[in-house]
Each structure stands twice: as structure tokens, then as C-alpha cells.
Amino acid sequence: MRLYCQPKIDMKTGRISGAEALVRWAHPRLGVITPVHFIKLAEQSGIITRVTNWMLNATMGYLRGWQESGHTGKLALNLSAHDIRSPAMAQRIEDQLDAWGVRPELIQFELTESALIEDPDAALAALSRIKACGADVFIDDYGTGYSSLSYLQRFPIDGIKIDQSFISPMLDDPDSAVIVRSTIELGHALGSQVVAEGVENVRVWQQLTEHGCDQAQGYLISMPMPIEELARWQSRGERVVEPGIAAADAHSRCFDPPHLA
């Protein structure tokens, strides 16, 4: 396993606000494999907990260095429905925070709406413990699952991430634009942060800015990168990357949108 990440940008300041931790499988024959090709298999075979435990440990190790360097951004870690149903997961998170000496406000946990609906009582218990230790909780891929205002009201949620299936077409699809704008307004009305996923061009960025979106994540900002490269990427002025280019060229073909310049 290899720890990757994708930066998130504060849309008001144009500065990095954190990153999402991502996993890659470094296969000896097939090369680097993305989660879309193995996470569902890991869930079906029951080894997803081992993957999550590896991610949690690796993330904590990185955050310890981040904390010692004085960085104040947050690193987000995905939890599966299986993780949320496990009574041991919340305790494992608390133990890891204690063992690594990491401040809980540096870590976020993201989970999908489907993870909440499969076992709402177990999810509520787990999220309440996670929140009690001081970490943030975000709903990932909001709008693609079982979107319900009752979830936002019932569960201790700090923010929502609007799925890229609404972000990408919002310039040409009036319905998507309305959903995005309404979701941002709803999130703010409930006191939640709103993150836009899949931001790939400047026009989308500008429209999200007009709607008051809080954070953005996507190829416009950066392709996913090995987490060791994040500090170097940030030191290069937190520039954004042209969408649609190869990851190998990501740092050599950058440009500064007017908003971020």
C-alpha cells in the first residue's frame, strides 16, 4: 500500500486548507492500482478493515510530522460502511490518536450516505465517539446516495462534499447548477462546511466562488500525488494544475487562475 493525497483549497483565501488521504496498491506486476479497482473487492472479502487500519496508521504517522512542523491543515480519511458498523473502529481511532500524540483537530473522517443508512444506530454511535474525541466528520459524495435532511439533522456532521457528478456539468446543466447552489445554501444554513469535488476548470471555480462554496478539490488544483510530495507542491506557491494532463506532468505544467494569483 502507498499513501497518496489530493489537496483541498480554501476558496476565500486561495490557500491550501488540507488534503484527502488516498490509498494506492503498488502491485509488483501491474504497477500502481487505484482504489476503484480493489476497494469493493476488499469490502466483499472482509479485509477492508485491514486496509483502513493501514490507512489510519499511515495517516497518523504523516500527521505527527505535520503537527511538529506547525501545519494547521486537516487530513481527511475515508471510512467504509463496514468500518462504521464495527464497534472497535471508534476505539481504534482514539488509541491511534493517543499513541501518535496527534491533535484530533488535524484529522477528518469522510463517509458516504450509504454508510449511514445501512445501520443508522451503529453509525450514530460511532460518529458520536469520533466527534467526542475532537475529529471532524464529513459526508462524502453528497447527493448520489440517500440524501435526506434527516441525516444532516440527526448525525453529528461538520461538512458535506458535493459529488463531482453535479459539479462537472453545472455550467451547462441548469438542474445541476440549482442543486449545487441549493446544497451550498443548505449546508451553510445548518452550520456545515461545503466542499466541491471534481473541480476541473476555472469557470466552475468562479461559479462556486459566487455561490459561496467553502473549499474545492479536483484536477484544477492538483492531481492525486504521493503524500511525500505535498510539502513540495505547497512550497511551489500552491499553484493549480491544468485539468486533463498526466500526473507525471502535473508539476511542470501549472498556471495561476486569477482568483489564486
Side-chain angles (χ1 to χ4, degrees):
M1 295 295 180
R2 298 288 184 270
L3 188 62
Y4 273 55
C5 72
Q6 188 175 34
K8 299 177 184 177
I9 294 293
D10 185 308
M11 301 194 73
K12 292 180 181 178
T13 66
R15 299 184 63 83
I16 185 171
S17 57
E20 179 181 0
L22 305 167
V23 64
R24 297 291 186 268
W25 178 13
H27 194 281
R29 182 171 56 87
L30 302 177
V32 178
I33 302 175
T34 59
V36 69
H37 297 296
F38 67 87
I39 287 297
K40 285 195 177 296
L41 179 61
E43 291 176 336
Q44 293 167 359
S45 62
I47 65 169
I48 188 63
T49 299
R50 294 175 60 187
V51 176
T52 302
N53 288 343
W54 182 91
M55 283 287 292
L56 183 61
N57 188 65
T59 298
M60 291 292 180
Y62 184 80
L63 278 175
R64 178 58 185 263
W66 204 341
Q67 177 175 287
E68 291 175 351
S69 68
H71 201 290
T72 57
K74 298 175 182 286
L75 197 56
L77 180 67
N78 291 282
L79 296 179
S80 71
H82 184 85
D83 295 327
I84 290 298
R85 289 196 303 268
S86 171
M89 180 52 65
Q91 183 64 52
R92 190 172 296 114
I93 291 170
E94 293 173 359
D95 292 343
Q96 287 278 18
L97 284 167
D98 183 61
W100 283 99
V102 170
R103 299 196 310 273
E105 61 267 23
L106 292 178
I107 193 167
Q108 294 176 341
F109 292 95
E110 298 181 359
L111 62 157
T112 62
E113 296 166 296
S114 58
L116 297 177
I117 194 63
E118 287 190 18
D119 192 339
D121 293 333
L124 180 59
L127 296 187
S128 296
R129 285 193 63 179
I130 291 173
K131 282 292 300 172
C133 77
D136 286 346
V137 175
F138 275 58
I139 295 182
D140 197 9
D141 301 333
Y142 185 80
T144 61
Y146 304 89
S147 299
S148 170
L149 298 182
S150 64
Y151 302 152
L152 298 180
Q153 183 181 40
R154 179 181 181 189
F155 293 101
I157 301 300
D158 297 288
I160 56 179
K161 298 183 71 177
I162 306 175
D163 189 72
Q164 62 182 356
S165 63
F166 298 108
I167 300 298
S168 298
M170 64 182 293
L171 295 176
D172 302 312
D173 182 358
D175 291 338
S176 293
V178 169
I179 290 173
V180 171
R181 184 178 68 252
S182 299
T183 302
I184 294 171
E185 293 173 353
L186 172 63
H188 289 166
L190 294 174
S192 296
Q193 288 277 305
V194 181
V195 182
E197 297 183 290
V199 179
E200 298 186 354
N201 66 70
V202 176
R203 289 180 60 210
V204 168
W205 172 284
Q206 291 171 336
Q207 189 160 328
L208 288 167
T209 302
E210 292 174 4
H211 294 332
C213 190
D214 300 297
Q215 299 178 57
Q217 179 180 356
Y219 289 174
L220 175 68
I221 299 157
S222 174
M223 304 280 285
M225 67 184 78
I227 200 163
E228 297 83 7
E229 296 182 11
L230 181 61
R232 183 173 62 180
W233 178 86
Q234 189 174 356
S235 70
R236 296 177 69 172
E238 297 166 357
R239 293 179 297 174
V240 297
V241 179
E242 261 186 298
I245 64 174
D249 299 331
H251 293 299
S252 62
R253 298 177 60 188
C254 296
F255 70 101
D256 295 307
H259 185 80
L260 294 180

